[in-house]
Amino acid sequence: MNEGRSMATPGEQCASLRVWNQTEQEPVAYHLLSLCFVRAASSWVPPMYLWVLGPIYLLYIHRHGRCYLRMSHLFKTKMVLGLALILMYTFNVAVPLWRIHQGVPQAPELLIHPTVWLTTMSFATFLIHMERRKGVRASGVLFGYWLLCCILPGINAVQQVSAGNFRQEPLHHLATYLCLSLVVAELVLSCLVDQPPFFSEDSQQLNPCPEAEASFPSKAMFWWASGLLWRGYKKLLGPKDLWSLGRENSSEELVSQLEREWRRSCNGLPGHKGHSSVGVPEAEAFLQPERSQRGPLLRAIWRVFRSTFLLGTLSLVISDAFRFAVPKLLSLFLEFMGDRNSSAWTGWLLAVLMFSAACLQTLFEQQHMYRAKVLQMRLRTAITGLVYRKVLVLSSGSRKSSAAGDVVNLVSVDIQRLAESIIYLNGLWLLFLWIFVCFVYLWQLLGPSALTAVAVFLSLLPLNFFITKKRGFHQEEQMRQKASRARLTSSMLRTVRTIKSHGWEHAFLERLLHIRGQELSALKTSTLLFSVSLVSFQVSTFLVALVVFAVHTLVAEDNAMDAEKAFVTLTVLSILNKAQAFLPFSVHCIVQARVSFDRLAAFLCLEEVDPNGMIASNSRRSSKDRISVHNGTFAWSQESPPCLHGINLTVPQGCLLAVVGPVGAGKSSLLSALLGELLKVEGSVSIEGSVAYVPQEAWVQNTSVAENVCFRQELDLPWLQKVLDACALGSDVASFPAGVHTPIGEQGMNLSGGQKQRLSLARAVYRKAAIYLLDDPLAALDAHVSQQVFKQVIGPSGLLQGTADRILVLANGTIAEMGSYQDLLQRNGALVDLLDGARQPAGTHDAATSDDLGGFPGGGRPTCRPERPRLTEAAPVKGRSTSEVQMEASLDDPEATGLTAEEDSVRYGRVKTTIYLSYLRAVGTPLCTYTLFLFLCQQVASFSQGYWLSLWADDPVVNGRQMHAALRGWVFGLLGCLQAIGLFASMAVVFLGGARASGLLFRSLLWDVARSPIGFFERTPVGNLLNRFSKETDTVDVDIPDKLRSLLTYAFGLLEVGLAVSMATPLAIVAILPLMVLYAGFQSLYVATSCQLRRLESARYSSVCSHMSETFQGSLVVRAFRAQASFTAQHDALMDENQRVSFPKLVADRWLATNLELLGNGLVFVAATCAVLSKAHLSAGLVGFSVSAALQVTQTLQWVVRSWTDLENSMVAVERVQDYARIPKEAPWRLPTCAAQPLWPCGGQIEFRDFGLRHRPELPLAVQGVSLKIHAGEKVGIVGRTGAGKSSLAWGLLRLQEAAEGDIWIDGVPITHVGLHTLRSRITIIPQDPVLFPGSLRMNLDLLQEHTDEGIWAALETVQLKAFVTSLPGQLQYECAGQGDDLSVGQKQLLCLARALLRKTQILILDEATASVDPGTEMQMQAALERWFTQCTVLLIAHRLRSVMDCARVLVMDEGQVAESGSPAQLLAQKGLFYRLAHESGLA
């Protein structure tokens, strides 16, 4: 008892307290909150805190220390104050020792306590010194220590002031006040941040993240982000406003760490076989296990990110400790309110403790969320980088098994799912701890009655599992329909010219809307089940409470309901309900993440390019052979059989080698083998010197012309211009809006096929390489253009200066023969057989000529062949030095760049009110009003339920029972049921209204796009349109209704809490008003900035996905040019730019959550303090209702703002969906009074009357002054150079582009007096590129379902495809993959011909329909056309003059005008433009 007396002040004798007397029944609060206990705790907690955390902290800063800090004034002041405190406690130790020495007995505590504090203060001062040595500018550990240290001197000071005995013990008083002043001063100084260390890395950044400059309180509450939020509120954020990315978050650092650990994990696998890399470092293959498994990747991720994850987990555990302290403190507070004799200071202390516990829970929980979100960001960066590096080394076999869309799906979906699962990992074990602690609480409060809670929760689980299963089924159905809709939409947009040319829009719209209807039906069912699931979780708290209260009060004896039991139980049940709701969600997310993780691991373990497949050397050897292959056997993959056998080949320097052979002979395979793309089974391949490669299908980047040609090399403008001129691109580039700086659209969408091919060739020529591998480089070019390109680039006088022509003939994967052209002709071997097989049937020209694209022009040598040759050229060494002068020309000058494609602009600022109104109009005004009414009704029921429970708790107790317990229970249950019904009805109406609105908006979008003219599709990238039909539509379908439901739920809940607190304690209104002002300020700052950051993030991430897809498609070219390093650097830069937006966004989210939760905790404090002030006339039940409601609002505050922000961000989708409503539309599809008769046109006479058109309003006329008459049944050829206006005549005839002047008449009817669909359905066009659609063969042949099966089989027999279709599974019902990807080009062109035959129109347009097929297919097509269209008017647009030599008349176009007209013989005799074209093609 002496110890207790010595601890007390003179005003309180601890010995008289009954704190240790357990036999007396006293309130718990009286035991735990006695002043002696508080003083004892405040005496021992700070030293224990520092001695537990201090050594760990010291070890941490020792391992992770930075440069030492300067000896600043702040540090000196801290040290002086620390030494003063050491002296103070030295004095406190010396005084008792002196008194003992004087013979005055002293309590042990008077010596032990100062000694402990003396050693602790010494340790704290030592930590201050070590922090400076290790570069710590703001210390959280010492801030917490000084804060705890303030408690004991504070209590002592308050007690001494209240005792008023300064004169008796002045020294004791002065020591207390001085100690308090010194500790408070240290606390204030710990809130400041020290100067940066010497040689700081942050000083080198332009706009470093302010976190490093922030003090500890600023870091804890994320105030350091306020500057950015304020800037975002005041103005539009730009790239300069975003913080620079720290090295620890950079893509280069994170990917290198994960890649290193990934290699280590794979190397540790038993039986692992690694590749020994040869060549350039960037070509090094990933080390990979033989079989796909998630273990190595999981271990690598754990090693890299475990420290961040574990630190976040520790924060979460501490947060949960404070989470469960709040119900206990609420219990003590309600116990205090029920005890009329307790002292007021107990209530004040409990209010402060409740507020402090809630604030600490908020701070630790938000620190956990911050670390988890940063970890998500880093993990996404690292794995995306790993996937990108894998894309660069995928073998050809692996690329065939993975499409570009699959890789983008990995990045945008699977990596995202994996990153999001980080937050839910701890839920797998921590939630079970929550449930256990909750049941312990309930047992303490209610005894055995708590077991009924278990029964109720268990009974609800089967319902939730059933709902989840049913909802999953409908979601899968929705996803199937959504995928089907996306495929069809993509196919429509990519083939829109063909669809419009034939007038098939209606057929496709009906098909698409039918799929959309099934999708929305599944969506409605799924959302209704989701509403039931949400209601079951929301109402489970009420159900458990009802059953528990009923059992407790009605069954057990002497168990009355009081405020503590009622509202503490509700608080605990709300925590339990969160655990119950979160647990299945966590499991679901983890399961999804596991599937995504397996997909990622499988992709990372795909087969890679064999680094030993080709030996590359840049050195100059004595040998003049640039390429040598010895006994080479190659295969596409380990599973496939060899495609090349016994290849022995040497190509000397300066040699031009042509590789020819029939289809499937292995020509492209040989080039792939030389590039090291094939798996080398045996033999050797050696390449000496740099390589440039032109693929068969041109690969063009979505960047400027100059960057496409330079391809990561320095810009040399004179050489660039020379290359462009040689590749016949000079005039084309000169016509571009910004010349060489003009950006090229996605996949070269604003270039013709020939321009793309020439650009691909220019890229190779600009390289100044030693070896050029050209795969059918002249295929898409006109005859005269191919002649020019060959002479100026490939031939002896060209830039590559190839000489000593040799031909290599391949057959069945082996070299049949090799030699000069004349030698091979004399041998009469494989080359002669190849030429004989390609000759035309009798009646045509005697020999094929060099106007077959891609031949060897000059010398009059016949070069016709079934498949065009692959050119392999070893360029001369001379003239290969790269430019030493770096031209300072910006390739991205925005002022010099004229965009030729419409860009998908980023929206700025707040969403306009008109967008919200347009969405609400789509929902319907009655439905909106009904929704608000239902939400109001259910919230009134919720408020009444809580108020009724407070009345129940305040009922008087007679003989241990309450008189009206049964009535109270019935009414409580009835109110809960009404709330449940209202909640379900309100949520269901929101979701159904959302489905109605999304259906109307999608139909409107579809109609707007379908009615747009063809010029709109030429200017708008397909990706932008697909984005509207996929991502934006999905947002309108799912996100907007869900965010609207969340906003209404939280907003009405917030109103209920405000009403509850104000009703219980009207005094609280005075404090609530300032809180609301702060709330509005936080909301305004956050919403303005967050919306901008989210839009920026979406735009930046799209560029990452586009670059990934682009690299996947062109990885062969990237590897051939050995540009992996620069492409990897570009990917890292794009990813870092994305993270520069992601990081401020996640910080802004934490800033909002932390500060609004602290604001909500302030509301709890206001409710509690007002209750203490009004204790005399307040019941415990009403206080419980008020405070427990305030405790629920802490997270509601931030979720109202978050839901509003999410809704505003989602509303951008509505804005974007409506973008195309304002663009001009094409003419009506059908006219009510059509000038054409049902059988029009019966003859097919076409008359152009001074016709002219332009492609865009701002451009000059592409066709002008065309006046001519084409007689019925006449076959007319249309020829001319590229850009002469040949195809423009056809587009004008179909009104794909409207006439700018003049008119066109068909059979005496002007086509402007006919609806577009009527016109286009009476004309048939067969384009150069065959187009098929997703669906059955029958659907592709008869889209409008107008023909019988017999008619379709007859058409197939005519084009000689009947046997082929019969062999297919399902025959006419055979499903075409994609756009007929499983069929050859020739087969697709013949199917398009069969489709044309079935239309049986009087006018036929052939737009170079045979250019992409081999001679055999061309002969089949010519024979079919001659039989079926003998009586029809035929317009034959041709690039090859040989195709029009049998036409009755030929029109020669030049600069948009008809330059010559007449029969081929007449035009040749005139020796004009037609004669010159024929001479270039070898026909004259």
Side-chain angles (χ1 to χ4, degrees):
M1 285 301 159
N2 288 333
E3 182 178 342
R5 189 175 291 111
S6 65
M7 286 175 62
T9 63
E12 179 185 1
Q13 297 295 324
C14 285
S16 63
L17 294 176
R18 291 164 291 180
V19 69
W20 310 113
N21 190 350
Q22 297 297 324
T23 60
E24 291 195 40
Q25 295 297 319
E26 292 288 345
V28 177
Y30 197 77
H31 297 309
L32 293 180
L33 299 174
S34 66
L35 210 51
C36 280
F37 179 82
V38 172
R39 291 189 69 238
S42 61
S43 299
W44 289 101
V45 168
M48 290 171 60
Y49 165 87
L50 194 62
W51 285 108
V52 170
L53 293 184
I56 301 172
Y57 177 61
L58 201 59
L59 181 64
Y60 175 81
I61 63 174
H62 177 72
R63 289 186 175 180
H64 299 88
R66 303 173 67 189
C67 302
Y68 62 88
L69 303 178
R70 308 166 194 177
M71 194 172 287
S72 63
H73 294 297
L74 179 62
F75 167 73
K76 293 174 183 177
T77 309
K78 285 181 181 179
M79 292 297 291
V80 168
L81 292 176
L83 293 173
L85 283 167
I86 291 173
L87 291 174
M88 177 69 65
Y89 281 102
T90 303
F91 174 75
N92 286 348
V93 172
V95 169
L97 289 174
W98 179 76
R99 287 180 178 174
I100 292 171
H101 182 69
Q102 294 295 321
V104 180
Q106 298 290 308
E109 180 247 315
L110 293 178
L111 186 61
I112 295 171
H113 170 258
T115 305
V116 171
W117 276 67
L118 173 63
T119 55
T120 308
M121 285 296 174
S122 303
F123 185 38
T125 308
F126 174 72
L127 281 178
I128 294 172
H129 171 68
M130 288 304 298
E131 284 178 341
R132 187 188 76 84
R133 293 286 304 274
K134 296 300 179 180
V136 179
R137 302 174 62 189
S139 173
V141 172
L142 286 179
F143 176 85
Y145 172 69
W146 297 123
L147 185 62
L148 290 172
C149 285
C150 289
I151 298 174
L152 180 62
I155 294 173
N156 288 340
V158 170
Q159 287 181 331
Q160 288 174 6
V161 169
S162 61
N165 57 349
F166 181 80
R167 292 183 179 178
Q168 286 82 358
E169 296 186 3
L171 196 62
H172 185 65
H173 277 258
L174 289 174
T176 301
Y177 300 149
L178 182 59
C179 179
L180 178 61
S181 302
L182 291 172
V183 171
V184 170
E186 284 280 20
L187 177 63
V188 171
L189 292 178
S190 66
C191 294
L192 304 178
V193 63
D194 215 330
Q195 294 181 5
F198 289 112
F199 316 114
S200 174
E201 294 179 2
D202 295 338
S203 61
Q204 301 171 6
Q205 297 177 343
L206 294 175
N207 185 17
C209 178
E211 185 180 14
E213 301 288 333
S215 63
F216 176 74
S218 177
K219 287 181 179 178
M221 290 176 276
F222 301 96
W223 289 341
W224 53 271
S226 301
L228 180 68
L229 288 152
W230 179 252
R231 282 199 300 275
Y233 175 74
K234 298 293 287 183
K235 64 167 190 172
L236 298 179
L237 291 176
K240 292 182 180 178
D241 296 310
L242 302 176
W243 307 314
S244 299
L245 206 62
R247 180 167 177 78
E248 68 279 3
N249 293 324
S250 68
S251 187
E252 181 183 4
E253 179 73 13
L254 292 167
V255 178
S256 63
Q257 289 180 20
L258 185 60
E259 188 178 353
R260 184 168 58 250
E261 294 298 337
W262 164 249
R263 293 175 189 275
R264 269 184 58 195
S265 299
C266 292
N267 283 331
L269 288 177
H272 167 73
K273 295 192 292 187
H275 296 304
S276 59
S277 261
V278 180
V280 290
E282 60 265 26
E284 184 177 345
F286 277 90
L287 298 175
Q288 52 181 335
E290 287 183 307
R291 60 185 184 279
S292 173
Q293 52 180 298
R294 72 179 71 95
L297 184 58
L298 192 60
R299 279 195 298 273
I301 292 173
W302 173 251
R303 287 170 183 163
V304 174
F305 300 112
R306 61 188 171 194
S307 58
T308 308
F309 178 75
L310 292 175
L311 201 57
T313 302
L314 178 63
S315 299
L316 183 61
V317 171
I318 297 172
S319 165
D320 286 339
F322 288 111
R323 184 192 309 277
F324 286 106
V326 171
K328 190 63 182 175
L329 291 169
L330 176 62
S331 176
L332 296 175
F333 185 74
L334 293 177
E335 191 178 309
F336 157 78
M337 292 298 296
D339 182 11
R340 297 295 176 183
N341 300 321
S342 55
S343 56
W345 73 265
T346 307
W348 290 106
L349 181 60
L350 282 168
V352 171
L353 287 175
M354 256 198 302
F355 174 68
S356 302
C359 288
L360 287 170
Q361 180 213 327
T362 294
L363 294 176
F364 277 103
E365 185 174 27
Q366 294 310 319
Q367 284 298 315
H368 157 70
M369 289 298 296
Y370 173 63
R371 296 183 187 284
K373 292 289 184 181
V374 169
L375 179 55
Q376 283 183 350
M377 183 185 78
R378 292 175 178 173
L379 184 63
R380 187 169 59 241
T381 300
I383 298 185
T384 303
L386 209 59
V387 168
Y388 186 83
R389 284 152 175 79
K390 182 72 178 185
V391 164
L392 287 173
V393 295
L394 280 179
S395 68
S396 299
S398 298
R399 289 181 73 252
K400 288 180 180 177
S401 65
S402 302
D406 296 333
V407 176
V408 173
N409 203 41
L410 277 178
V411 173
S412 59
V413 177
D414 292 311
I415 292 179
Q416 191 66 27
R417 279 181 180 173
L418 182 61
E420 287 175 354
S421 69
I422 297 295
I423 293 179
Y424 306 108
L425 282 175
N426 285 312
L428 294 180
W429 65 274
L430 203 55
L431 291 176
F432 289 104
L433 186 61
W434 279 27
I435 294 170
F436 174 75
V437 175
C438 285
F439 279 121
V440 169
Y441 264 155
L442 291 175
W443 184 275
Q444 286 182 344
L445 285 166
L446 305 172
S449 306
L451 293 174
T452 55
V454 182
V456 176
F457 274 119
L458 290 177
S459 65
L460 287 174
L461 281 177
L463 172 66
N464 289 321
F465 277 120
F466 173 76
I467 293 172
T468 304
K469 185 176 180 181
K470 291 293 290 182
R471 184 172 175 240
F473 170 77
H474 289 288
Q475 278 183 321
E476 288 176 6
E477 174 63 23
Q478 182 204 349
M479 293 303 292
R480 277 195 297 270
Q481 299 296 338
K482 182 177 170 183
S484 177
R485 171 174 63 82
R487 283 194 298 272
L488 183 58
T489 306
S490 175
S491 175
M492 284 175 58
L493 294 175
R494 295 182 190 281
T495 59
V496 67
R497 185 179 290 274
T498 300
I499 293 172
K500 284 190 171 293
S501 300
H502 292 81
W504 287 335
E505 291 99 328
H506 259 311
F508 277 97
L509 292 185
E510 288 177 4
R511 189 175 163 200
L512 197 58
L513 289 173
H514 174 70
I515 297 173
R516 175 68 174 165
Q518 293 178 320
E519 180 189 355
L520 286 179
S521 176
L523 176 66
K524 288 176 184 176
T525 309
S526 172
T527 51
L528 286 176
L529 288 170
F530 182 52
S531 300
V532 176
S533 178
L534 285 173
V535 170
S536 71
F537 283 124
Q538 294 275 352
V539 178
S540 60
T541 303
F542 149 73
L543 286 175
V544 174
L546 176 64
V547 173
V548 168
F549 292 160
V551 170
H552 184 70
T553 56
L554 300 178
V555 176
E557 293 289 336
D558 300 329
N559 280 338
M561 180 65 64
D562 58 24
E564 181 187 354
K565 290 178 181 177
F567 292 102
V568 175
T569 299
L570 284 181
T571 305
V572 173
L573 286 178
S574 69
I575 298 175
L576 188 60
N577 190 39
K578 284 179 187 175
Q580 182 210 9
F582 201 68
L583 185 59
F585 190 67
S586 298
V587 172
H588 175 69
C589 288
I590 296 299
V591 169
Q592 277 193 327
R594 179 177 173 178
V595 173
S596 294
F597 192 85
D598 287 343
R599 283 161 51 87
L600 283 165
F603 178 79
L604 292 174
C605 292
L606 286 176
E607 185 183 28
E608 299 173 357
V609 172
D610 183 7
N612 299 318
M614 177 264 293
I615 300 175
S617 172
N618 291 323
S619 62
R620 309 279 183 184
R621 298 184 302 182
S622 56
S623 170
K624 291 186 178 182
D625 291 338
R626 288 292 185 186
I627 300 173
S628 61
V629 183
H630 297 289
N631 195 28
T633 299
F634 305 93
W636 282 104
S637 66
Q638 293 179 348
E639 294 78 19
S640 62
C643 55
L644 294 172
H645 310 267
I647 303 296
N648 288 285
L649 172 67
T650 57
V651 183
Q653 177 183 319
C655 174
L656 174 62
L657 174 68
V659 181
V660 299
V663 176
K667 301 180 293 297
S668 293
S669 299
L670 178 60
L671 261 63
S672 296
L674 296 179
L675 290 170
E677 295 295 322
L678 295 191
L679 181 66
K680 185 180 64 178
V681 179
E682 62 180 7
S684 65
V685 179
S686 176
I687 301 285
E688 184 183 353
S690 57
V691 176
Y693 171 63
V694 179
Q696 186 175 10
E697 294 183 7
W699 175 68
V700 180
Q701 290 182 272
N702 185 15
T703 181
S704 70
V705 174
E707 288 180 310
N708 263 284
V709 175
C710 295
F711 204 61
R712 312 307 165 90
Q713 287 194 310
E714 294 178 356
L715 177 62
D716 183 351
L717 281 175
W719 175 239
L720 174 64
Q721 192 60 50
K722 191 174 182 180
V723 169
L724 292 176
D725 290 338
C727 295
L729 279 171
S731 58
D732 293 325
V733 173
S735 67
F736 290 167
V740 294
H741 301 289
T742 303
I744 294 172
E746 191 178 3
Q747 297 179 358
M749 53 80 59
N750 52 344
L751 299 179
S752 69
Q755 287 172 329
K756 285 191 284 187
Q757 191 68 32
R758 281 176 277 153
L759 195 67
S760 179
L761 181 61
R763 177 172 55 213
V765 176
Y766 186 88
R767 193 75 172 178
K768 295 182 180 178
I771 299 166
Y772 289 85
L773 302 176
L774 315 179
D775 194 348
D776 212 358
L778 309 178
L781 310 185
D782 296 342
H784 63 281
V785 176
S786 64
Q787 287 263 11
Q788 176 188 344
V789 170
F790 188 89
K791 289 177 181 176
Q792 297 188 16
V793 176
I794 302 172
S797 60
L799 294 178
L800 304 186
Q801 301 174 6
T803 58
D805 292 358
R806 297 167 69 192
I807 296 176
L808 183 151
V809 184
L810 279 173
N812 298 321
T814 59
I815 298 176
E817 57 183 2
M818 181 176 172
S820 68
Y821 181 74
Q822 298 298 335
D823 291 342
L824 296 182
L825 282 181
Q826 292 174 4
R827 290 182 196 173
N828 200 24
L831 180 64
V832 175
D833 295 340
L834 203 59
L835 293 172
D836 290 342
R839 294 190 186 279
Q840 296 291 335
T844 61
H845 303 289
D846 294 335
T849 57
S850 64
D851 70 325
D852 263 328
L853 308 184
F856 287 89
R861 301 191 297 262
T863 56
C864 183
R865 59 220 162 272
E867 188 83 346
R868 302 177 182 91
R870 273 63 176 168
L871 304 175
T872 305
E873 176 170 356
V877 178
K878 60 181 181 179
R880 286 190 57 253
S881 61
T882 57
S883 172
E884 297 177 1
V885 181
Q886 183 177 1
M887 303 297 292
E888 295 182 359
S890 171
L891 298 180
D892 301 312
D893 183 5
E895 296 179 0
T897 302
L899 298 180
T900 57
E902 288 186 359
E903 291 201 344
D904 213 11
S905 58
V906 179
R907 309 264 174 194
Y908 292 102
R910 304 292 293 270
V911 175
K912 296 177 182 177
T913 308
T914 53
I915 302 300
Y916 290 98
L917 292 177
S918 66
Y919 181 80
L920 293 177
R921 278 195 296 270
V923 173
T925 306
L927 210 57
C928 294
T929 309
Y930 187 50
T931 301
L932 292 175
F933 174 73
L934 286 174
F935 268 102
L936 181 63
C937 289
Q938 69 91 16
Q939 209 63 53
V940 168
S942 175
F943 176 84
S944 303
Q945 183 187 353
Y947 182 66
W948 186 261
L949 185 61
S950 71
L951 297 178
W952 187 359
D954 289 335
D955 276 350
V957 179
V958 180
N959 297 325
R961 304 297 294 270
Q962 290 168 310
M963 299 297 294
H964 307 294
L967 175 64
R968 297 290 191 191
W970 279 110
V971 175
F972 181 75
L974 178 62
L975 289 171
C977 292
L978 289 175
Q979 184 201 359
I981 294 170
L983 192 62
F984 171 74
S986 56
M987 289 182 177
V989 169
V990 169
F991 286 127
L992 292 176
R996 182 176 185 271
S998 62
L1000 290 174
L1001 290 170
F1002 179 84
R1003 185 183 290 268
S1004 175
L1005 170 67
L1006 188 61
W1007 180 255
D1008 287 334
V1009 172
R1011 293 280 292 111
S1012 299
I1014 198 68
F1016 164 77
F1017 297 96
E1018 291 172 346
R1019 295 190 305 272
T1020 309
V1022 173
N1024 292 2
L1025 294 170
L1026 285 175
N1027 198 31
R1028 302 301 197 280
F1029 282 101
S1030 55
K1031 181 184 175 184
E1032 309 299 354
T1033 298
D1034 189 53
T1035 300
V1036 177
D1037 284 352
V1038 179
D1039 290 355
I1040 291 181
D1042 189 49
K1043 303 307 179 190
L1044 191 58
R1045 187 263 317 164
S1046 298
L1047 177 63
L1048 291 171
T1049 304
Y1050 289 125
F1052 277 96
L1054 194 58
L1055 290 175
E1056 178 192 346
V1057 172
L1059 182 61
V1061 175
S1062 303
M1063 185 194 70
T1065 52
L1067 187 62
I1069 297 176
V1070 178
I1072 288 176
L1073 291 177
L1075 290 177
M1076 293 307 294
V1077 172
L1078 284 172
Y1079 179 71
F1082 285 138
Q1083 185 259 359
S1084 299
L1085 285 174
Y1086 173 77
V1087 172
T1089 305
S1090 178
C1091 288
Q1092 294 184 63
L1093 290 173
R1094 291 189 187 205
R1095 293 170 192 172
L1096 284 170
E1097 183 185 36
S1098 177
R1100 299 286 174 89
Y1101 199 65
S1102 296
S1103 64
V1104 173
C1105 293
S1106 298
H1107 185 245
M1108 180 79 73
S1109 175
E1110 189 176 77
T1111 305
F1112 181 87
Q1113 291 166 345
S1115 58
L1116 184 62
V1117 176
V1118 175
R1119 285 197 295 269
F1121 281 80
R1122 300 173 193 172
Q1124 296 99 314
S1126 59
F1127 269 76
T1128 302
Q1130 184 183 357
H1131 169 266
D1132 289 349
L1134 288 171
M1135 202 68 204
D1136 286 347
E1137 282 300 305
N1138 178 65
Q1139 302 306 65
R1140 280 188 68 203
V1141 183
S1142 298
F1143 183 66
K1145 176 179 165 291
L1146 75 86
V1147 172
D1149 289 344
R1150 292 310 104 218
W1151 177 88
L1152 176 81
T1154 304
N1155 288 286
L1156 287 191
E1157 283 196 24
L1158 291 175
L1159 210 60
N1161 297 335
L1163 187 60
V1164 174
F1165 184 66
V1166 167
T1169 51
C1170 290
V1172 174
L1173 290 171
S1174 310
K1175 181 183 177 184
H1177 55 271
L1178 274 183
S1179 66
L1182 202 55
V1183 172
F1185 177 40
S1186 169
V1187 177
S1188 63
L1191 283 170
Q1192 303 306 315
V1193 85
T1194 52
Q1195 292 191 338
T1196 304
L1197 280 170
Q1198 64 145 322
W1199 281 111
V1200 170
V1201 181
R1202 292 280 283 277
S1203 299
W1204 175 259
T1205 309
D1206 290 342
L1207 180 62
E1208 182 158 349
N1209 284 319
S1210 299
M1211 274 294 170
V1212 176
V1214 177
E1215 191 175 4
R1216 289 162 67 87
V1217 161
Q1218 295 178 337
D1219 272 348
Y1220 302 134
R1222 297 180 295 276
I1223 59 175
K1225 301 294 184 287
E1226 61 184 357
W1229 288 342
R1230 304 277 180 192
L1231 291 177
T1233 56
C1234 184
Q1237 299 300 317
L1239 297 178
W1240 174 88
C1242 54
Q1245 176 182 293
I1246 305 170
E1247 184 178 359
F1248 292 85
R1249 298 183 179 178
D1250 197 26
F1251 176 74
L1253 64 77
R1254 52 170 52 92
H1255 297 299
R1256 288 206 295 274
E1258 69 275 10
L1259 297 179
L1261 288 171
V1263 174
Q1264 55 185 327
V1266 175
S1267 295
L1268 61 98
K1269 181 181 287 187
I1270 299 173
H1271 302 290
E1274 187 178 9
K1275 184 177 182 182
V1276 178
I1278 304 173
V1279 298
R1281 299 187 187 277
T1282 302
K1286 305 184 296 294
S1287 296
S1288 297
L1289 284 180
W1291 304 142
L1293 185 61
L1294 291 164
R1295 290 181 67 189
L1296 288 174
Q1297 287 166 331
E1298 295 289 356
E1301 58 186 29
D1303 206 348
I1304 302 176
W1305 294 59
I1306 297 178
D1307 278 2
V1309 176
I1311 62 173
T1312 52
H1313 294 181
V1314 181
L1316 292 183
H1317 278 185
T1318 305
L1319 171 68
R1320 294 167 184 173
S1321 64
R1322 311 294 168 84
I1323 300 174
T1324 297
I1325 181 169
I1326 304 178
Q1328 177 178 353
D1329 298 320
V1331 172
L1332 296 181
F1333 307 100
S1336 66
L1337 268 181
R1338 196 193 193 290
M1339 185 278 297
N1340 270 285
L1341 293 169
D1342 183 20
L1343 264 162
L1344 303 179
Q1345 299 180 352
E1346 298 173 333
H1347 305 282
T1348 62
D1349 284 359
E1350 290 76 14
I1352 294 172
W1353 282 113
L1356 288 172
E1357 188 172 13
T1358 302
V1359 298
Q1360 302 180 27
L1361 278 183
K1362 183 176 181 180
F1364 168 72
V1365 175
T1366 306
S1367 67
L1368 293 174
Q1371 297 184 356
L1372 288 178
Q1373 300 305 320
Y1374 174 75
E1375 289 289 324
C1376 297
Q1379 296 179 11
D1381 298 335
D1382 47 350
L1383 303 175
S1384 71
V1385 175
Q1387 289 167 336
K1388 287 193 287 186
Q1389 192 65 283
L1390 289 173
L1391 285 171
C1392 289
L1393 177 60
R1395 186 164 61 197
L1397 301 181
L1398 289 168
R1399 284 170 68 91
K1400 299 177 182 176
T1401 59
Q1402 283 298 114
I1403 299 175
L1404 173 68
I1405 302 172
L1406 296 172
D1407 189 3
E1408 196 54 44
T1410 61
S1412 301
V1413 298
D1414 56 65
T1417 306
E1418 184 177 0
M1419 286 189 290
Q1420 287 178 254
M1421 294 181 66
Q1422 294 288 0
L1425 289 170
E1426 287 176 6
R1427 285 199 302 273
W1428 280 65
F1429 290 99
T1430 52
Q1431 303 299 320
C1432 297
T1433 304
V1434 179
L1435 301 183
L1436 176 58
I1437 300 169
H1439 298 291
R1440 295 182 292 188
L1441 263 62
R1442 183 168 49 82
S1443 304
V1444 301
M1445 298 308 288
D1446 59 347
C1447 291
R1449 183 160 39 134
V1450 175
L1451 303 178
V1452 184
M1453 300 293 295
D1454 186 36
E1455 296 183 353
Q1457 297 177 321
V1458 179
E1460 298 175 3
S1461 176
S1463 67
Q1466 291 172 342
L1467 296 179
L1468 286 172
Q1470 291 177 9
K1471 294 196 174 181
L1473 179 58
F1474 185 77
Y1475 177 81
R1476 291 198 299 273
L1477 293 174
H1479 180 72
E1480 290 173 359
S1481 301
L1483 293 173

